[in-house]
Amino acid sequence: MPDKKLFLLTTALITIGIICSYTLSAYTVILFEYNDFHFVGRELTVAIISILLMWGLAQLDPDVWLHRLGLWLFFGGIVLMLVMPFLPASLVSEVGGAKRWIKLFGFSLAPVEYFKIGFVYFLAWSFSRKLGHHGNMGVMEEFKRFFPYAAIFVLVMFLIAFLQNDLGQVVVLALTLAFMLFFAGSSFRFFMTLIGGSVSFFLFFILTSEHRINRILSWWATAQSTVLAFFPESIAKHLRIDNGEEAYQIGHSLNAIHNGGVFGTGLGGGTFKLGFLSEVHTDFVLAGIAEEFGFIGVFAVVFLFIMLLHRLFKIANRSHNDTAYLFSLGVGLLITFAFMVNAYGISGLTPIKGISVPFLSYGGSTMMASAIGIGMVLMLSKKIEYKSGDKK
């Protein structure tokens, strides 16, 4: 039987996402003169499809379907991202000069969301075949072994960071790749070398893009007072920006979180969603939850995510097949890093990256792709053999 707890936890998060798409989209509905149920209707449709798809995948034989589906998502995602810049405007939605969504039957499809699941499967499948324990290998030998994956990731960075102008997704994929590589058997020394190299690459991407530099400065103008309080004044005065433009979105997000307090303003009672936070039901959904449901609501959401990740990592730990182990782990890492990048961004700890919260943020592609990833893990969970006395 598929892991029922994992299925129920995912369904619970999807249900919360449906509620958020209704209560947090009020201003956008009024502004664009949509029907009151415009967003919740679309989200509910995708949610039902996602839940049915997740459970349907769970019934399939992983020995037959996991490999096919995983590679189809990987190569299909690459092809779609390659052709998107050349598709006509009638088929591709363009925002800020970047083409990230394909219009399909009234919905917008984001290929990168599905590609991420395929990318994790490709790494799990390839790592289980090519990598093993590092033994006495030096860093250079490990890097030679890693070089083909580095070349693939450079292609991924080009497709996502340059063609789609979406560095946030690259950050999530880079962190997932690094940690999967470590759990696949690479040494801690090589892991830290890889993290250091990744940081250098991201600094290069930031420093060569004016809008990314401005975003960093805008974030720092808001966060500097808190951070520099821990530094001696002799150092802080050299790091302080006196006339930087404050990131108003982060400011309103923090105010919304503060306004929610412990118990929140109640369902539909939030005020910062009324034009202060633009489209709070998408990237700022956690701030909206914090205002309307307070600390208690945020705690409940975090608890559900922790329980979800616990099930994913438990399935990974019980898997006797290396591919199943790494894939289940990778799906958990994708969800973890997406949640953390979003949570840190809306709380002002890091710059905002435009990463959606899995299952909670409004958006069909994010929800459906995440559901596919969970469905594939549910497919694998049927093969798990629990030890006698071990709780399922």
Side-chain angles (χ1 to χ4, degrees):
M1 288 289 293
D3 191 296
K4 290 184 179 179
K5 290 183 179 179
L6 177 59
F7 175 78
L8 291 175
L9 286 166
T10 306
T11 303
L13 287 169
I14 290 175
T15 302
I16 295 173
I18 296 170
I19 296 172
C20 290
S21 69
Y22 177 71
T23 182
L24 299 180
S25 63
Y27 180 77
T28 307
V29 166
I30 296 172
L31 182 65
F32 293 100
E33 298 181 348
Y34 289 139
N35 180 280
D36 289 347
F37 301 99
H38 174 82
F39 290 105
V40 69
R42 294 164 69 92
E43 191 78 346
L44 179 61
T45 301
V46 175
I48 293 173
I49 295 172
S50 297
I51 292 172
L52 293 176
L53 183 61
M54 180 171 56
W55 189 249
L57 289 173
Q59 310 310 311
L60 300 178
D61 183 356
D63 295 331
V64 176
W65 290 101
L66 185 73
H67 185 68
R68 295 179 184 178
L69 183 58
L71 291 188
W72 186 87
L73 289 170
F74 177 71
F75 289 110
I78 288 179
V79 171
L80 286 176
M81 288 189 292
L82 278 172
V83 303
M84 279 176 68
F86 308 101
L87 294 177
S90 59
L91 294 177
V92 180
S93 299
E94 183 173 335
V95 178
K99 296 182 176 181
R100 300 178 184 174
W101 296 274
I102 296 177
K103 299 175 184 177
L104 192 65
F105 304 115
F107 290 87
S108 294
L109 175 75
V112 67
E113 297 293 345
Y114 301 91
F115 168 78
K116 289 191 297 184
I117 304 300
F119 181 71
V120 165
Y121 176 77
F122 174 79
L123 292 180
W125 170 68
S126 187
F127 283 174
S128 65
R129 296 171 63 247
K130 301 294 184 180
L131 301 186
H133 293 289
H134 52 85
N136 296 319
M137 294 176 65
V139 173
M140 288 305 299
E141 285 75 14
E142 286 194 78
F143 183 77
K144 290 178 182 177
R145 187 173 64 169
F146 174 70
F147 181 77
Y149 303 104
I152 292 173
F153 192 72
V154 168
L155 172 62
V156 171
M157 283 197 299
F158 173 76
L159 291 175
I160 301 176
F162 284 101
L163 294 186
Q164 299 193 4
N165 195 25
D166 192 354
L167 188 60
Q169 297 285 10
V170 177
V171 171
V172 171
L173 288 174
L175 289 170
T176 303
L177 167 62
F179 277 84
M180 285 184 67
L181 185 67
F182 177 71
F183 284 105
S186 293
S187 67
F188 182 73
R189 181 174 55 179
F190 178 69
F191 172 74
M192 293 306 298
T193 302
L194 192 64
I195 292 294
S198 299
V199 171
S200 299
F201 270 112
F202 286 121
L203 287 175
F204 169 78
F205 283 124
I206 290 171
L207 296 175
T208 54
S209 174
E210 184 178 354
H211 89 274
R212 291 187 182 122
I213 293 175
N214 291 334
R215 180 176 292 183
I216 293 293
L217 293 175
S218 179
W219 162 76
W220 181 244
T222 302
Q224 62 181 346
S225 297
T226 302
V227 176
L228 295 180
F230 296 96
F231 288 80
E233 183 57 31
S234 58
I235 297 177
K237 66 181 181 181
H238 296 291
L239 299 175
R240 187 174 290 110
I241 300 176
D242 294 327
N243 55 356
E245 180 183 354
E246 291 193 3
Y248 72 93
Q249 284 284 73
I250 295 178
H252 288 318
S253 176
L254 293 174
N255 288 333
I257 294 170
H258 179 267
N259 190 46
V262 176
F263 299 104
T265 59
L267 182 65
T271 56
F272 283 88
K273 65 185 180 183
L274 303 177
F276 298 99
L277 278 174
S278 61
E279 299 190 352
V280 64
H281 56 295
T282 57
D283 294 345
F284 286 88
V285 65
L286 290 177
I289 291 173
E291 183 179 18
E292 298 202 352
F293 301 98
F295 171 80
I296 300 298
V298 173
F299 179 83
V301 167
V302 171
F303 179 76
L304 287 174
F305 270 106
I306 291 175
M307 292 300 296
L308 178 79
L309 295 172
H310 174 259
R311 297 308 299 178
L312 287 170
F313 295 148
K314 189 169 187 176
I315 292 170
N317 189 50
R318 295 291 186 267
S319 298
H320 299 291
N321 179 279
D322 288 339
T323 300
Y325 161 70
L326 289 172
F327 178 72
S328 301
L329 180 72
V331 171
L333 290 172
L334 270 183
I335 293 173
T336 299
F337 292 131
F339 185 90
M340 290 176 63
V341 168
N342 183 282
Y344 288 169
I346 64 106
S347 58
L349 296 176
T350 61
I352 298 172
K353 291 294 183 184
I355 296 294
S356 301
V357 182
F359 307 115
L360 298 185
S361 294
Y362 175 82
S365 291
T366 303
M367 179 182 290
M368 195 174 296
S370 299
I372 289 174
I374 295 294
M376 293 170 70
V377 176
L378 287 171
M379 191 192 307
L380 289 169
S381 69
K382 295 186 296 185
K383 298 286 186 177
I384 303 302
E385 296 180 6
Y386 289 92
K387 298 178 181 178
S388 178
D390 187 18
K391 292 183 179 180
K392 294 185 179 182

